[in-house]
């Protein structure tokens, strides 16, 4: 097997050609990517379920909209917390209950008391489920042209308008991907 270059912390942006309805216009933050597979959360799929309805203690730390997001089609009965911690939270200075994924973005231990992170969290999102790929599966999808891989920004995790995130992420690219942001929802109507 060839060595896998880690894409952890990057965004997968669904191409208009991606046919899987689970990922139509999805923006996925990769939380882990190595030779054993990949795991990420879809950043732009809010649900109508309020965070306080399932994780009451964490509701005050989440930004708008204060709802649970569908992180992907796998394990919808589990929750993941992704938080941005501003500043240089390295090693010993990282708050208890938070593990860095990339830059200021990290995973939150939702079993920990929310008070441990309350003063450090810049933004928090709760995801039900996740997107997962087995060894080599994501690489095959990339070769098939299903995803664009772009750099993430801390603000992507907490976008106040998640329904616009697909277009916004593409629009900020400094290449031909910026034009893809104008792709119509239904090209047959064009």
């Amino acid at each position: 097997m060839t060595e896998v270059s880690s894409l952890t912390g990057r965004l997968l942006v669904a191409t208009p050609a991606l046919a899987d309805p689970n990922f139509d216009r999805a923006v996925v933050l990769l939380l882990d990517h190595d030779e054993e597979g990949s795991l990420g959360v879809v950043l732009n799929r809010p649900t109508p379920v309020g965070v306080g309805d399932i994780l009451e203690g964490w509701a005050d730390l989440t930004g708008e909209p204060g709802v649970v997001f569908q992180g992907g089609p796998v394990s919808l009965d589990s929750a993941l917390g992704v938080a941005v911690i501003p500043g240089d939270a390295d090693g010993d200075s990282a708050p208890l209950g938070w593990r860095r994924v990339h830059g200021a973005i990290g995973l939150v231990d939702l079993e920990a008391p929310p008070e441990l992170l309350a003063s450090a969290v810049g933004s928090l999102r709760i995801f039900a489920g996740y997107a997962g790929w087995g060894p080599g599966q994501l690489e095959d999808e990339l070769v098939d042209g299903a995803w664009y891989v772009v750099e993430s920004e801390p603000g992507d995790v907490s976008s106040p308008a998640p329904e616009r995130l697909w277009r916004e992420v593409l629009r900020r690219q400094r290449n031909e991907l910026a034009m893809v942001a104008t792709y119509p929802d239904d090209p047959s109507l064009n």
Side-chain angles (χ1 to χ4, degrees), residues 83-117:
V84 174
I85 303 287
D88 297 322
D90 280 326
D92 295 336
S93 68
L96 289 174
W98 181 81
R99 181 181 59 85
R100 178 183 311 286
V101 169
H102 177 76
I105 302 168
L107 285 168
V108 171
D109 177 0
L110 295 173
E111 298 293 321
E115 302 78 43
L116 282 178
L117 288 168

Side-chain angles (χ1 to χ4, degrees), residues 27-47:
V27 177
V28 178
L29 172 65
L30 281 175
L31 301 172
D32 193 23
H33 176 251
D34 58 27
E35 64 279 343
E36 295 177 19
S38 305
L39 181 140
V41 290
V42 179
L43 297 177
N44 58 336
R45 296 280 192 274
T47 72

Side-chain angles (χ1 to χ4, degrees), residues 143-181:
V143 168
D144 291 343
W147 301 99
Y148 304 119
V149 179
V150 301
E151 294 297 325
S152 64
E153 294 180 1
D156 296 333
V157 172
S158 59
S159 172
E163 69 281 356
R164 295 195 311 249
L165 190 60
W166 186 82
R167 289 188 194 282
E168 289 173 357
V169 167
L170 288 171
R171 199 171 284 128
R172 74 177 183 232
Q173 304 310 307
R174 299 191 185 279
N175 53 33
E176 65 277 356
L177 290 184
M179 289 298 294
V180 177

Side-chain angles (χ1 to χ4, degrees), residues 57-131:
W58 292 99
D60 290 340
L61 297 179
T62 59
E64 288 300 320
V67 298
V68 175
F69 281 66
Q70 184 175 341
V74 182
S75 293
L76 291 172
D77 59 344
S78 65
L80 285 170
V82 178
V84 174
I85 303 287
D88 297 322
D90 280 326
D92 295 336
S93 68
L96 289 174
W98 181 81
R99 181 181 59 85
R100 178 183 311 286
V101 169
H102 177 76
I105 302 168
L107 285 168
V108 171
D109 177 0
L110 295 173
E111 298 293 321
E115 302 78 43
L116 282 178
L117 288 168
S119 65
V121 169
S123 62
L124 170 70
R125 279 274 157 84
I126 304 296
F127 299 90
Y130 62 90

